[in-house]
Amino acid sequence: MNFALTEEQQMVKETAARIADEDLKPKAAHFDENHEHPAEACATLGELGFMGIAVPEEYGGAGMDYVSYVLALSEISRGDASVGVIMSVNNSLYCFPVMTFGTEEQKKAFLTPVASGAKIGCYGLTEAGAGSDPASLRTTAVLDGNQWVLNGEKKFITNGNVASYAVIAAVTDKAAGAKGISSFIVDLENTPGFSVGRVEDKMGICASGTSELVFEDARIPKDNILGEPGAGLRQMLTTLDSGRIGIGSQALGIGKAVLEEAVQYAG
Ligand SMILES: Cc1cc2nc3c(=O)[nH]c(=O)nc-3n(C[C@H](O)[C@H](O)[C@H](O)COP(=O)(O)OP(=O)(O)OC[C@H]3O[C@@H](n4cnc5c(N)ncnc54)[C@H](O)[C@@H]3O)c2cc1C
């Protein structure tokens, strides 16, 4: 097996390392202490294609492979763990499900702005009573004519306070249990009845916002369902599985940063 990086992968790693050292590291403490969204850094990542690395170029992404994603995300996380989380969720938890389960129309409308970095995406599964056991979620989506009406509250949603688009899980058929959950793409900027709830006051990665998403008779187009009704929980769990690649990359980068700091301190 050949573990050598391709020229493109090497270039991605070097570019991400340079951004981490020159742009992110010097400002990380400021953004963390002020709980401030690092908008400029996210824009830079967007320009480099890092907000949708594995998304094909026709949908605004960089069209690269997952090795490039891991290399870029671990270096970015080494520079600023918060920026790493924002990038990870954008790629793994928003772009991945829309790319994997979305229709051609959905990809054009809802993937392109997020994969290109122009807008930020988030993923809403967790609720106050549905964390480790997501099948017990209570947010509902009821079909009314040509719209779905969403009611419920999502909790601990990364990027929730800055995102323009979300993939949201909701119950569409209570009697069907876990097979009665569906997922939807929500245009958060243009959905009356949607609001951002409490933004959590965390102990770390404070420049990455973690918030509630509140839906009160929020109406979205019928066509915004992702895949088939009832497929939502499977889609969301598949997305979380894919997201582990991002989580592992973040952990690797943060670990490298800790080692570098320790060596410098001891030297
Ligand atoms: C910083 C941050 C960002 C997040 N971002 C997102 C996001 O973007 N989107 C999203 O949807 N969610 C997000 N989450 C939510 C996250 O997925 C949940 O926190 C996680 O699923 C755990 O759920 P919970 O917090 O309700 O804990 P609980 O499910 O209440 O678990 C609490 C503890 O009890 C244990 N436990 C639970 N059930 C059992 C059992 N049956 N037997 C034994 N032990 C058990 C757990 O292991 C854990 O130690 C985020 C959370 C955090 C902290």
Side-chain angles (χ1 to χ4, degrees), residues 54 66 69-70 73 88 91-97 100-101 235-249:
Y66 268 80
Y69 178 40
V70 170
L73 184 53
S88 181
N91 276 274
S92 291
L93 299 190
Y94 181 86
C95 290
F96 174 85
T100 307
F101 308 114
Q235 292 168 341
M236 296 302 258
L237 296 180
T238 303
T239 299
L240 283 182
D241 281 346
S242 165
R244 317 264 181 239
I245 298 170
I247 301 287
S249 311

Side-chain angles (χ1 to χ4, degrees), residues 85 89 93 122-133 154-159 202 205 208 210 236 240:
V85 178
V89 166
L93 299 190
C122 69
Y123 163 92
L125 177 64
T126 304
E127 297 177 7
S132 303
D133 177 20
K154 295 292 173 182
K155 210 160 176 65
F156 293 154
I157 307 306
T158 301
N159 296 347
K202 303 197 301 278
I205 55 167
S208 154
T210 309
M236 296 302 258
L240 283 182

